[in-house]
Amino acid sequence: MTTAARTRTVKEQTFDVLRQYDLTTLFSNPGSTEVGFLADLPADISFVLGLHEGSVVGMASGSALATGRPALVLLHTTAGYGNAVSALATARANRAPLVVIVGQQDRRHLPHEPFLAGRLDGLAGEYPVWQHTPARAQDVPGAVARAWHEAQEGRGPAVVVVPMDDWFTEADDVAQAAPRGPVAVRGGRTASDDAVATLAALLTAADSPCLVAGAGNDTADGWEALVTLAELLDCPVYQEPFGARAGFPQDHRLFAGHLPAVRPALREVLAPYDTVLTVGAAAFRQYTYAPGEFTEPGTRVAVITDDPEEAHRSPAELVLLAEPADTVRRLAPLVPAIPRSSAPHRPTAPEPPVPGEPLRAAHVLAALAERLDPKAVVVEETPSSRPDLHRLLPARAPLGFLSAAMGGLGFAMPAAIGVRHGAPDRPVVAVLGDGSSLYSIQALWSAAHYGIGVLFVVLANGRYAIMDRLSEREGSAAPAWPAFTELSVSTLARGLGCPAERVEDHTALLSVLDKVLPTLADRREPLVLEVAVEADAHYSS
């Protein structure tokens, strides 16, 4: 006599899906609607705790960007999902693929809107690339599988809402509603031969072309292909304004710097060129509004991007909606090598401060640049010092620079933790303002608890310096908000269990950097280095 096999639950079937798709690290801040899923968590599923949902999503985003694969997030109904919305928007803008499971109250009394029931549809607006509440409990495993593919293809957060009682439902009728496995979907956007030939003809006819590299070209293949094309054309290569990643090696002789984010300055920089090819970005992302066109009359603009939204909003003569690296690789042999002008001017580092002179952000960034491993990842969130960082601390390897594409604060600290978690062989430095650090400072607990060896360099000027400068631009004699010079980020860090030091002069800064940076690749303990700096008197975007 044989015993009938026990019917497995939705929870067990979902864990099978997670293993199948290599979603075995779970970033979460748990709530009661998720406890059933988390109880008796299998030993092969790693739980990474964040103390706020913004940090949870930020860590997962960093991990996803480092690995190139979706990361798994678990959020708690309206409270957790709502707290995470800004971070989810940033993940979408940064092209970070996430599988996001959101807990919901029990299906059996949702019509009565019980305590912790969430009105979750549309809570994150249009930022998820896909959102779904399965019609039946048995559909949950298939929905999670589909979310992986939606996140990977859409390069953003894919959300599955799961009522808390679903996990214990018997799952003898599980629908496979997604391709079977992470490599089941193959392909990509490929430009036709005619389209590539048309673009080659445009570049060949140019007397003075330039290239613009965008975040969408930040891959090893993308860098290699664009270097080849730039050297054939012997033309300058700019980085897109406010690019969240570097699309070209910024220590290359042809790198010409970052484009301005205001139209008059952009027109002035691009005026010498009759043809502009943007690769991996839209043409052109700006910040504050100013009237007029992006370029002077007669300048021809072309774009290569695999992002339909970037393609459709670019006022360009020719747009190739295709994978950048492959397209540029095929384009290069069709373009003749033409020697042109001399290499762009290279920026110089500031002189070290004399004894008694206050430190400035540029002094700190120059010291970092002299000592940092070329393969290090720099995660940036220092708005008032961003121009100095771009000028002095070039990205020298793919994923060498990472910032929040959305522009909101709170990304860098948890993202740096996630990057190091996903790419443990890469040294990681986060450069933040003291005001920026407060948006997600609780992420330091996760770094300390899990032994994530990131160096957090906090440029502490005791104020929202960028906002002060913007207020001055509007003609205000003084900002409406106070400074916070009594704030101590290092004290807060130590309170969260994270080692921290504060330095106030150049000699002490160099001493700490010389001690820490050579060990950064193997470091298993985070360090917050709070550096007292003088607020710069001006800011240029």
Side-chain angles (χ1 to χ4, degrees):
M1 181 176 178
T2 60
T3 302
R6 179 181 65 85
T7 302
R8 303 176 75 222
T9 64
V10 165
K11 177 178 172 178
E12 291 170 314
Q13 299 273 23
T14 300
F15 281 126
D16 286 347
V17 169
L18 299 182
R19 296 182 182 102
Q20 181 182 2
Y21 286 87
D22 195 24
L23 294 170
T24 54
T25 297
L26 173 60
F27 296 89
S28 183
N29 181 273
S32 56
T33 51
E34 296 74 54
V35 168
F37 177 69
L38 295 172
D40 299 319
L41 196 68
D44 60 335
I45 305 294
S46 299
F47 187 97
V48 177
L49 175 63
L51 302 186
H52 184 276
E53 289 82 3
S55 292
V56 166
V57 173
M59 288 190 293
S61 297
S63 180
L65 293 170
T67 63
R69 303 188 308 273
L72 178 62
V73 175
L74 181 68
L75 299 175
H76 173 52
T77 189
T78 306
Y81 195 15
N83 280 346
V85 167
S86 178
L88 291 170
T90 297
R92 173 70 179 270
N94 274 87
R95 303 183 178 187
L98 304 176
V99 174
V100 183
I101 298 175
V102 179
Q104 173 63 293
Q105 251 285 9
D106 194 303
R107 283 182 190 266
R108 292 168 293 189
H109 65 164
L110 278 177
H112 304 289
E113 292 202 26
F115 182 67
L116 287 178
R119 299 183 184 183
L120 303 177
D121 289 343
L123 182 60
E126 298 182 4
Y127 291 115
V129 297
W130 184 71
Q131 179 168 328
H132 181 63
T133 301
R136 309 178 305 154
Q138 291 87 347
D139 297 332
V140 168
V144 172
R146 178 170 173 179
W148 189 97
H149 291 280
E150 295 281 0
Q152 183 77 345
E153 177 67 18
R155 292 175 297 185
V159 177
V160 181
V161 176
V162 184
M164 59 193 296
D165 57 312
D166 282 9
W167 300 119
F168 307 105
T169 302
E170 291 187 346
D172 56 353
D173 182 21
V174 173
Q176 181 68 30
R180 297 179 181 274
V183 296
V185 176
R186 298 178 181 272
R189 298 185 184 275
T190 302
S192 68
D193 290 341
D194 286 346
V196 176
T198 300
L199 181 55
L202 186 149
L203 288 175
T204 300
D207 292 324
S208 54
C210 76
L211 304 176
V212 178
N217 197 57
D218 187 24
T219 65
D221 289 344
W223 280 36
E224 181 181 3
L226 200 56
V227 165
T228 299
L229 179 62
E231 291 177 348
L232 283 169
L233 296 171
D234 196 20
C235 72
V237 182
Y238 293 91
Q239 175 70 32
E240 65 166 320
F242 282 100
R245 295 172 67 166
F248 186 83
Q250 295 176 352
D251 58 345
H252 191 279
R253 66 178 181 85
L254 292 174
F255 183 66
H258 289 67
L259 286 179
V262 182
R263 294 187 192 200
L266 179 67
R267 287 194 296 271
E268 182 179 353
V269 170
L270 295 180
Y273 311 109
D274 61 0
T275 303
V276 180
L277 173 60
T278 295
V279 180
F284 295 93
R285 195 179 193 202
Q286 296 283 273
Y287 181 29
T288 52
Y289 173 74
E293 301 296 329
F294 293 121
T295 59
E296 297 289 353
T299 300
R300 308 177 75 182
V301 177
V303 171
I304 302 170
T305 177
D306 60 356
D307 185 317
E309 293 183 354
E310 287 183 350
H312 298 157
R313 68 172 180 261
S314 295
E317 176 179 332
L318 177 63
V319 178
L320 273 62
L321 182 55
E323 201 278 319
D326 173 70
T327 306
V328 174
R329 179 185 56 78
R330 293 165 54 208
L331 174 66
L334 306 180
V335 175
I338 303 175
R340 300 182 195 271
S341 59
S342 60
H345 173 69
R346 310 313 307 170
T348 57
E351 291 294 324
V354 300
E357 181 185 355
L359 277 172
R360 295 192 178 274
H363 296 136
V364 182
L365 297 167
L368 269 175
E370 290 175 2
R371 294 161 172 79
L372 202 55
D373 188 320
K375 71 174 185 177
V377 184
V378 174
V379 187
E380 177 271 331
E381 195 166 271
T382 176
S384 62
S385 305
R386 184 180 290 122
D388 280 336
L389 188 145
H390 286 327
R391 181 171 60 90
L392 298 170
L393 197 55
R396 292 176 285 174
L399 196 61
F401 173 80
L402 179 61
S403 185
M406 180 58 62
L409 301 178
F411 171 77
M413 194 167 272
I417 298 167
V419 168
R420 186 61 192 268
H421 185 279
D425 60 324
R426 298 283 297 268
V428 179
V429 176
V431 181
L432 309 97
D434 49 354
S436 301
S437 71
L438 298 181
Y439 284 78
S440 55
I441 197 163
Q442 70 283 338
L444 293 175
W445 179 89
S446 299
H449 182 82
Y450 294 104
I452 308 296
V454 174
L455 174 63
F456 301 93
V457 178
V458 178
L459 303 174
N461 55 34
R463 66 197 69 245
Y464 291 130
I466 179 63
M467 296 302 300
D468 293 351
R469 301 294 83 81
L470 293 174
S471 180
E472 290 170 5
R473 286 187 183 181
E474 295 297 320
S476 178
W481 45 88
F484 38 84
T485 53
E486 65 271 44
L487 174 70
S488 171
V489 174
S490 54
T491 299
L492 292 171
R494 285 190 288 268
L496 288 162
C498 181
E501 297 184 31
R502 179 178 169 91
V503 300
E504 299 184 350
D505 64 75
H506 196 246
T507 300
L509 170 69
L510 300 187
S511 176
V512 175
L513 293 181
D514 286 338
K515 177 179 65 176
V516 174
L517 290 180
T519 70
L520 200 55
D522 300 316
R523 191 177 180 89
R524 294 294 177 266
E525 182 181 65
L527 176 65
V528 170
L529 183 60
E530 182 184 23
V531 186
V533 296
E534 188 81 1
D536 290 322
H538 66 278
Y539 169 75
S540 172
S541 60

